Amino acid sequence: MKKIINTVDQVENQMVEGMVKAYPQYLKKLECGNVVVRADKKEGKVALISGGGSGHEPAHGGYVGEGMLDAAVAGAVFTSPTPDQIYEGIKAVATDKGVLMVIKNYTGDVMNFEMAREMAEMEGIKIAQVVTNDDVAVDGSLYTVGRRGVAGTVFIHKIAGALAERGGELEEVRAVAEKVIAGVRTMGMAIRPCTVPAAGVPGFELSEEEMEVGIGIHGEPGTHREALKTADEIVDMLMDKILADLDYSGSEVAVMINGAGATPLMELFIVNNRVFDILAEKGIKVYKTFVGEYMTSLEMEGFSISLLKLDGELKELLDAKADTPAFKA
Amino acid sequence: MKKIINTVDQVENQMVEGMVKAYPQYLKKLECGNVVVRADKKEGKVALISGGGSGHEPAHGGYVGEGMLDAAVAGAVFTSPTPDQIYEGIKAVATDKGVLMVIKNYTGDVMNFEMAREMAEMEGIKIAQVVTNDDVAVDGSLYTVGRRGVAGTVFIHKIAGALAERGGELEEVRAVAEKVIAGVRTMGMAIRPCTVPAAGVPGFELSEEEMEVGIGIHGEPGTHREALKTADEIVDMLMDKILADLDYSGSEVAVMINGAGATPLMELFIVNNRVFDILAEKGIKVYKTFVGEYMTSLEMEGFSISLLKLDGELKELLDAKADTPAFKA
């Protein structure tokens, strides 16, 4: 295992410390563990909390700040945070207007966030939740019942976060998050695996001629493995599946081309070149495009495409001010 | 060679097309080749132009926009753009106030930008230039006489771009760029190489236990190769060299932890954790930190540390509004 780290048991702590030291204007870390919250708590708004295993940086700590999240909870690499950790995060950011939990659909995450919710409700905290499940590749996989929550989650942070920031009530913020979940679809692929530090060996292996299609953000198997194709052929395959899953015809969309961690930005732009052309052919208008690393998988090499169907409300909230380490609008 | 591309001869074109399709609000492409300019030309300001070989994305097209560059010229991967290309870029953005060329110190880049400058001057365009050379690793290397220009160049784009945006004269913008060059130092390392598409094989090879210290952004050799150390030990080694090169004592600094392309963000934060502590020990105050991919080398895995010495003027210009695809402030 070749990594730029110190010891395997310190990667999460030192990552969170390094992030907070980079962005003291945005973040502070709670004493109780790897939970980051806004440097200045904002009262009078619905608080958004998200999180999950580490290894997906900048998700989710990079999205803590004005117009997005109030707290992010980081578990061990690719491992759900504990209910206690999540509960501490909730307590730190809860306001009278309540708390919305944004949970990616993985069995461990859902279970632990829901346990934390019960703990918080016993303390009288008003709380609601949404579960993101944007990955169209497979229905049920290694760590999940139902579809997996992947890069499209960042659109929930952005849009629900914007409504919370402008004073939306808990039920309104939850409803707009559900609207985003209903309109966002994602599919990914990879050409090289990643290695969880504590495991020391890659999560899967691919030959020099193979790719994994429909892969999850922890390297979980997708729909199938096949010979590596050209970028355009790969995009065609992923877009076919996304567009078959939801009717985007006549819509305006936001596009996210998300790098898995080790993919050169050059290749992500080559991918976008084709995505844009496919959408143009189909009369689907691109309102805004995001290309970069939004929800990574350590040093996995690959990408995902997310499409979000927009209406007037979602466009306005997507464009609203956001000021966080990893997302500014 | 395992890459997400179509054909080797189309990587640069399709990358630039994909970038412009992603960011039409910021960028347009000139007809004459891989030159991107601001979507809306701004008159009455000094125009900034930069560029170099492709493969360093988001440099430099990602920095075209308000408060930074007016044009970016992209050569083939790791190959200088031609004088004609650069000249077309200059002509497209030149104003009465003149043009500043920001050139990274590589022999081909300097030669071709200077030839373009001569062509532009014959057309009566007022033009000045600065050459960045922030890499402290080696004095002279594979493609360069003198020190190489690397990630610190992004600070020149930001700070000189801010002064140009607020109406600075050509000589003032050039002078502030020189001030940044005088105060910025960078050093990098890598644990895995990258493959230029047209070459098809990695630019160098490292065993599973080795790292290259002081590497350039094209994978050029640095100071030496040695056994891979811990993140903290690597940072100590790079910081020793940077801090020995320029006296930062008592200064405030901006820090950039730049990923080479395939380095997980988690590892860059672990690096920053140590950089911050070293600076704190030495009484050097961190004013602002940037962690991410600013000047990459395709899928090379490694990072560089840049330190920029700040004064009141530089802090104000660093904080001034920037609105570009890859850098917002």
Side-chain angles (χ1 to χ4, degrees), chain B residues 62-232:
Chain B
Y63 303 121
V64 171
E66 183 183 351
M68 293 184 79
L69 299 179
D70 295 270
V73 186
V77 173
F78 294 177
T79 302
S80 298
T82 65
D84 280 354
Q85 245 185 311
I86 302 165
Y87 172 58
E88 293 296 333
I90 292 170
K91 275 199 303 186
V93 298
T95 71
D96 290 348
K97 295 190 79 165
V99 175
L100 180 71
M101 306 194 300
V102 181
I103 311 167
K104 296 193 299 300
N105 190 35
Y106 294 96
T107 303
D109 283 11
V110 173
M111 189 172 68
N112 290 359
F113 271 87
E114 288 185 346
M115 286 175 64
R117 175 186 179 156
E118 285 174 25
M119 295 158 75
E121 283 175 336
M122 285 170 61
E123 297 292 320
I125 295 172
K126 192 162 76 171
I127 196 156
Q129 72 185 56
V130 294
V131 178
T132 71
N133 60 354
D134 49 313
D135 189 346
V136 301
V138 288
D139 195 11
S141 70
L142 209 51
Y143 310 117
T144 323
V145 177
R147 287 184 167 182
R148 303 173 296 211
V150 291
T153 305
V154 179
F155 285 130
I156 287 93
H157 297 346
K158 175 66 190 77
I159 287 172
L163 186 59
E165 198 76 39
R166 67 170 61 163
E169 298 300 328
L170 182 57
E171 181 46 33
E172 296 167 332
V173 177
R174 194 197 60 74
V176 84
E178 292 289 5
K179 194 204 270 190
V180 177
I181 291 169
V184 65
R185 297 291 186 276
T186 298
M187 190 158 159
M189 61 79 67
I191 62 172
R192 281 196 191 86
C194 60
T195 297
V196 173
V201 292
F204 59 97
E205 289 194 23
L206 287 174
S207 79
E208 270 300 292
E209 287 76 35
E210 280 178 322
M211 63 178 172
E212 179 80 30
V213 179
I215 201 160
I217 58 173
H218 313 95
E220 312 95 299
T223 57
H224 65 285
R225 185 171 288 194
E226 66 172 277
L228 181 61
K229 293 197 157 83
T230 67
D232 286 358

Side-chain angles (χ1 to χ4, degrees), chain A residues 97-276:
Chain A
K97 295 191 79 165
V99 175
L100 181 71
M101 306 193 300
V102 181
I103 311 168
K104 298 195 298 299
N105 190 35
Y106 293 96
T107 303
D109 283 11
V110 174
M111 190 172 67
N112 290 359
F113 271 87
E114 288 185 346
M115 285 176 65
R117 175 186 179 157
E118 285 174 24
M119 294 159 76
E121 283 176 336
M122 285 172 62
E123 298 291 319
I125 295 171
K126 192 161 77 171
I127 195 157
Q129 72 184 56
V130 293
V131 178
T132 72
N133 59 355
D134 50 313
D135 189 346
V136 302
V138 288
D139 195 9
S141 71
L142 208 49
Y143 310 117
T144 324
V145 178
R147 288 184 167 183
R148 302 172 296 211
V150 291
T153 305
V154 178
F155 284 131
I156 288 93
H157 296 345
K158 175 66 190 77
I159 287 173
L163 186 59
E165 197 76 38
R166 68 169 60 163
E169 298 299 329
L170 182 58
E171 181 46 34
E172 296 167 331
V173 176
R174 195 197 60 76
V176 85
E178 291 289 5
K179 194 203 270 189
V180 177
I181 291 169
V184 65
R185 298 291 186 275
T186 299
M187 189 156 159
M189 61 79 68
I191 61 172
R192 280 197 192 86
C194 60
T195 297
V196 173
V201 293
F204 59 97
E205 289 195 23
L206 288 172
S207 79
E208 270 300 293
E209 287 76 36
E210 281 179 321
M211 63 178 170
E212 179 81 30
V213 179
I215 201 161
I217 57 173
H218 314 95
E220 312 95 298
T223 59
H224 64 287
R225 185 170 288 193
E226 66 173 276
L228 181 62
K229 293 195 157 84
T230 68
D232 285 359
E233 288 167 338
I234 296 166
V235 169
D236 292 354
M237 183 166 46
L238 303 185
M239 288 290 281
D240 276 354
K241 187 114 187 186
I242 292 170
L243 294 172
D245 197 81
L246 184 67
D247 183 7
Y248 288 91
S249 54
S251 304
E252 281 188 87
V253 295
V255 175
M256 178 177 286
I257 313 296
N258 173 57
T263 320
L265 204 42
M266 166 176 266
E267 297 179 15
L268 300 182
F269 286 121
I270 291 173
V271 165
N272 186 59
N273 187 47
R274 181 67 172 185
V275 170
F276 183 95

Side-chain angles (χ1 to χ4, degrees), chain B residues 217-277:
Chain B
I217 58 173
H218 313 95
E220 312 95 299
T223 57
H224 65 285
R225 185 171 288 194
E226 66 172 277
L228 181 61
K229 293 197 157 83
T230 67
D232 286 358
E233 288 167 339
I234 296 166
V235 169
D236 291 354
M237 184 166 46
L238 302 186
M239 288 290 281
D240 275 353
K241 187 114 185 187
I242 292 170
L243 295 173
D245 198 81
L246 184 67
D247 183 7
Y248 288 89
S249 54
S251 304
E252 280 188 87
V253 295
V255 175
M256 178 177 285
I257 313 296
N258 173 57
T263 319
L265 204 43
M266 168 178 266
E267 297 179 15
L268 299 183
F269 285 121
I270 290 171
V271 165
N272 186 58
N273 187 48
R274 181 66 172 185
V275 170
F276 183 94
D277 288 351

